[in-house]
């Protein structure tokens, strides 16, 4: 093996094959992948699928609480999960910069493997490209994912009604602030960790128990909680009212946001699902979430209100009100 | 709209949404995509699927006979096709460099759209990331694809027997030489065009007509024809004998290869399928291929021979023999 990735590793020849065997097959091993065919051939347990893709360009690639590999599995697993699906298969395509240390790559591969194992998904197909030094920044990962939609799932903004309740599974803004702390060299003081995790257990349990009682789910990533809520309310006669004192924010995260002038509502998460549920299902949804490690901090944070005309409004700690807009500028580039 | 892509277009906020609506929804419009949910929800006509992914980093992004958009659809469609599947759904994830001209992006999006239409697949889900200037080279595209495996397909190297016949649907090395000519400023003299195209019509017809008579298919991309043949023979008791005079190479491509010292067997293609068929199916396979525009130049190029112990051998024009190895070095970085 080489200590660094060479252009030849992306040529489709001998070194590409060596890399695939010593890194991917070794770590991801499963019957579909090991064929090393142009496509993985898989049997699905149903015909109604969810299909998603995301590229990950996070910088730096290693951060407190995770790395680009863990992120690439969790992010795609979560996109399938909030669509009401059970994630099954993941693809993994790497774009690497010539000169990337093989040890760095291996650490990321192991992280992809462990995250896939934890989320109970199989990495069944992949691709490797290498671009010349300076043509890309270290490593970018794309994952696409396939899941089977639960037969009990009936999700969509069209099912939301005034009176429905907005729930989140824990404190917000940890991922964005962990990356920011790292970039600013503040990570040792703050010890803020990314919340990067897979949400498929929580979402599967919610759908299994609540059925039609759960109307909508989305993971709050780039753009934070505010982007999700604004996407939900856009063009509707109703709106969402959020109660600031109910929105969970860890103390070090809140302190750092204040110090740097960030609004936690706009900061990225990588393990937070926003669920909108019928009022009679709200307490049950909370209980289900709290059964899981990543749902211990679950909270009811707001309500769907008639007459707000597509707006998201925040009842502030001072009992004032302000509109929470869709994020406009770029707070933190390459956060995921 | 802006003339150039800004970091904010990748933030998940207002500009990301504007970009998605004005570019992706406008051009790719279909019921699954238009939901703009975290995942596309699709109904499959069967449960046995093929799933594949590839990232495209070709440089330059526009070239004679295609561009990165056309390539990204055709490459993934072809990986599904040679696995014996009917391609149905494609994902499309873009990594763009800050400052990319919006006009360039739009041209690529239109090309993705047209290629998807021609191949009869739907682009149902996507992602947009923007990295700072210098963090990536213009644009990288990842596509993943899902297809349904034809019930008549029975493909795999394990079905290959000595006596089977190796067929290709047309002349080799056009894609690699088109890109090389462009890079060297020779494109006006040579007029070589990339062979970039979708192969799903040809492969579907082959499986439909030949059933078990067709043993194996693979598209010869990076690493060229030699990489495919070496992958097939690796670890087998038998080998493959290729007849140099039967391997179709267009005259300008051959001339340019000679001039620059390339062996066409190692040069990339983007619209060539290598099929290994039972001897009694060979003539029929040729006829089927030749019905299609991209199969007019189809030819029988070799035979599976006992006793070659995993080797690929070439019967040269001079009636000599030489071993065709797996490609080792990097002839042409960022060819796809």
């Amino acid at each position: 093996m080489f200590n660094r990735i060479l252009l030849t590793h992306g040529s489709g020849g001998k070194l590409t094959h060596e890399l695939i065997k010593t890194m991917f097959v070794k770590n991801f091993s499963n019957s579909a992948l090991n064929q090393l065919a142009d496509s993985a051939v898989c049997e699905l347990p149903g015909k109604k699928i969810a299909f998603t893709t995301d590229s990950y360009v996070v910088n730096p690639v290693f951060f407190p609480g995770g790395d680009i590999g863990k992120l690439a599995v969790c992010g795609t697993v979560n996109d399938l999960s909030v669509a009401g699906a059970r994630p099954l298969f993941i693809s993994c395509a790497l774009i690497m910069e010539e000169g990337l240390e093989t040890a760095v790559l291996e650490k990321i591969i192991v992280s992809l493997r462990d995250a896939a194992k934890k989320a109970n998904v199989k990495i069944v197909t992949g691709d490797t490209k290498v671009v010349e030094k300076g043509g890309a920044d270290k490593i970018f990962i794309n994952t696409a994912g396939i899941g089977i939609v639960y037969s009990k799932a009936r999700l969509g903004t069209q099912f939301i009604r005034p009176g429905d309740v907005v729930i989140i599974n824990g404190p917000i803004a940890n991922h964005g602030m962990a990356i920011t702390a790292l970039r600013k060299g503040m990570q040792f003081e703050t010890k803020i960790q990314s919340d990067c995790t897979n949400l498929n257990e929580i979402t599967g349990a919610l759908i299994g128990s609540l059925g039609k009682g759960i109307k909508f789910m989305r993971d709050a990533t780039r753009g934070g909680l505010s982007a999700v809520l604004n996407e939900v309310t856009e063009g509707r006669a109703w709106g969402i009212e959020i109660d600031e004192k109910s929105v969970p924010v860890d103390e070090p995260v809140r302190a750092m946001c204040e110090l740097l002038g960030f609004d936690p509502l706009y900061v990225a998460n990588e393990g937070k699902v926003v669920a909108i549920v019928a009022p009679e299902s709200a307490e049950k949804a909370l209980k289900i979430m709290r059964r899981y490690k990543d749902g211990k901090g679950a909270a009811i944070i707001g309500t769907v209100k008639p007459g707000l005309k597509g707006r998201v409004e925040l009842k502030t700690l001072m009992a004032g009100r302000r509109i929470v807009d869709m994020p406009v500028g770029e707070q933190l580039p390459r956060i995921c």
Side-chain angles (χ1 to χ4, degrees), chain A residues 4 143 164 184 222-223 234 293 322:
Chain A
R4 289 181 182 272
T143 51
D164 286 349
K184 295 191 182 285
R222 279 186 294 184
E234 195 197 348
K293 182 173 160 282
R322 68 173 171 91

Side-chain angles (χ1 to χ4, degrees), chain A residues 15 18 54 65 73 76 97 106 117 120 153 194 210 222 238 242 252 276 290 292 333:
Chain A
L15 284 190
E18 192 182 307
D54 261 315
V73 169
T76 291
E97 184 184 14
E106 186 146 35
K117 196 176 169 194
N120 199 21
S194 167
L210 304 180
R222 279 186 294 184
W238 42 260
I242 296 295
I276 301 184
R290 287 178 180 160
Y292 296 89

Side-chain angles (χ1 to χ4, degrees), chain A residues 246-275:
Chain A
S246 312
V247 178
V249 186
D250 287 340
E251 211 31 61
V253 173
R254 187 189 303 279
M256 192 174 161
C257 280
E258 273 174 20
L259 187 68
L260 299 175
F262 285 106
D263 181 341
L265 294 175
Y266 290 85
V267 176
N269 312 279
E270 287 296 340
K272 288 298 159 314
V273 54
V274 178

Side-chain angles (χ1 to χ4, degrees), chain A residues 18 24 37 44 53 56 88 114 135 138 141 183 212 221 285:
Chain A
E18 192 182 307
F24 303 109
L44 295 179
T53 188
Y56 299 86
L88 292 171
D114 293 346
K138 291 181 209 76
I141 302 182
R183 287 189 191 156
K212 291 182 182 176
T221 54

